Amino acid sequence: MSGKATKYHESEILDISLRKQQVQPIPDMVYAQKPTLDFKNVLLQMNIWRPRDLTNLPAVIFITGGGFIAANRARLPQLRMRLAENGYFVGSISYRVAPEVMFPAPLEDVKSAIRYVKAHAGELNVDPERVAVVGDSAGGYLSAFAGITSGSTEFDEGEHLHVSSSVKAAVTLYGLSDLSKVAEDYSDEMKRWTNSAAGISSLLVNGVPVFGGRDGGIEANTEYMEKANPINYINEKSAPMLLFHGGKDALISPSQTDILYQALRNRGIEAKRYVVPKAEHAGPYWIQDEVLDIIQAFLDKHMK
């Protein structure tokens, strides 16, 4: 009997090729300190997932949803793990939310996170020239906004202002794009609720009067609404964008991503949009391999 046969006896041989990277999680890294209604220095944190043994990594800033009133950076772990296993630094961020802040504070936080990662690229093993943004729902709106205003300094505020907040690509999953039409595909009752002072768009743009905000629904202050509409900022420097929406989304009109998709294409910006007919707002369809494969391929195209 040969030495090899003696070593393995009658065990089954499992010959494995290394395709995934070993992922190192780093929780609760502070990327900025910003003021809110009650506190001058609220800690904004980032949960990092990155390949343990690779350097000069392309980076993705993941922006969670939460209706602009919550920002749980632990959401969508399947997407973040998928990217980290395939060679990406992924930083999932919290950001300031309503009613303690109004637009543009959440967008300023996203850009602060981008600048932080670039400014600390050496420590984080990141290539500062290869950074993208990915977000879902409210985070999809912020991801699209960061991609559209790539190359602009209009919403840069805070530290590391010597570093650009530009990104190479943006991915938005079922995000908003025109705040005056969030319920465009729904009933009149849903439109009234969405456009009221309690609607998510109104909270983002107007806040609430008792906390220093403005009274009225989303259309009561059209000047502020238009300033918070990402479609109004599309220009030749806007980043390539990948858009998704569920055909059964009952919270954000599927036409929201179509409005943005058409506007990008009309301005000559690379964009591609997918509709998942059975998918609702968030939910299990968005963690399936078919979706994750498309997201990774898009990022690979622009980052690798």
Side-chain angles (χ1 to χ4, degrees), residues 5-179:
T6 302
K7 180 177 179 180
Y8 293 113
H9 301 289
E10 296 182 358
S11 301
E12 296 290 335
I13 306 302
L14 187 60
D15 190 11
I16 296 176
S17 298
L18 296 179
R19 292 183 295 273
K20 296 180 180 180
Q21 297 294 325
Q22 187 175 5
V23 174
Q24 177 187 27
I26 305 173
D28 305 332
M29 177 174 286
V30 175
Y31 73 85
Q33 297 184 61
K34 298 287 186 70
T36 63
L37 180 67
D38 293 330
F39 301 99
K40 291 184 178 180
N41 291 291
V42 172
L43 301 183
L44 298 179
Q45 295 177 307
M46 175 187 302
N47 288 354
I48 292 171
W49 291 20
R50 68 180 183 187
R52 183 182 296 273
D53 299 320
L54 300 182
T55 59
N56 202 38
L57 298 165
V60 170
I61 304 299
F62 178 76
I63 312 160
T64 182
F68 303 115
I69 60 173
N72 180 359
R73 62 186 179 277
R75 295 180 69 249
L76 278 182
Q78 293 90 346
L79 172 57
R80 293 184 284 122
M81 175 62 84
R82 167 67 177 270
L83 294 175
E85 286 177 337
N86 286 276
Y88 285 87
F89 169 103
V90 184
S92 182
I93 65 169
S94 58
Y95 52 88
R96 291 172 293 173
V97 296
E100 291 199 336
V101 298
M102 296 178 287
F103 181 87
L107 180 58
E108 292 171 353
D109 296 345
V110 170
K111 288 179 174 280
S112 289
I114 295 168
R115 296 195 310 273
Y116 177 90
V117 168
K118 290 184 177 184
H120 294 85
E123 305 163 37
L124 299 174
N125 292 330
V126 163
D127 179 355
E129 299 301 319
R130 293 187 294 159
V131 179
V133 283
V134 177
D136 76 308
S137 192
Y141 160 88
L142 293 170
S143 176
F145 221 137
I148 286 169
T149 56
S150 184
S152 169
T153 61
E154 180 174 355
F155 297 105
D156 281 314
E157 184 275 334
E159 298 183 3
H160 311 300
L161 294 176
H162 64 288
V163 179
S164 169
S165 60
S166 296
V167 294
K168 290 292 186 183
V171 179
T172 174
L173 293 95
Y174 40 91
L176 305 82
S177 62
D178 185 337
L179 301 183

Side-chain angles (χ1 to χ4, degrees), residues 207-223:
V208 292
V210 71
F211 291 144
R214 296 175 287 268
D215 195 14
I218 187 62
E219 295 181 340
N221 299 284
T222 55
E223 175 187 354

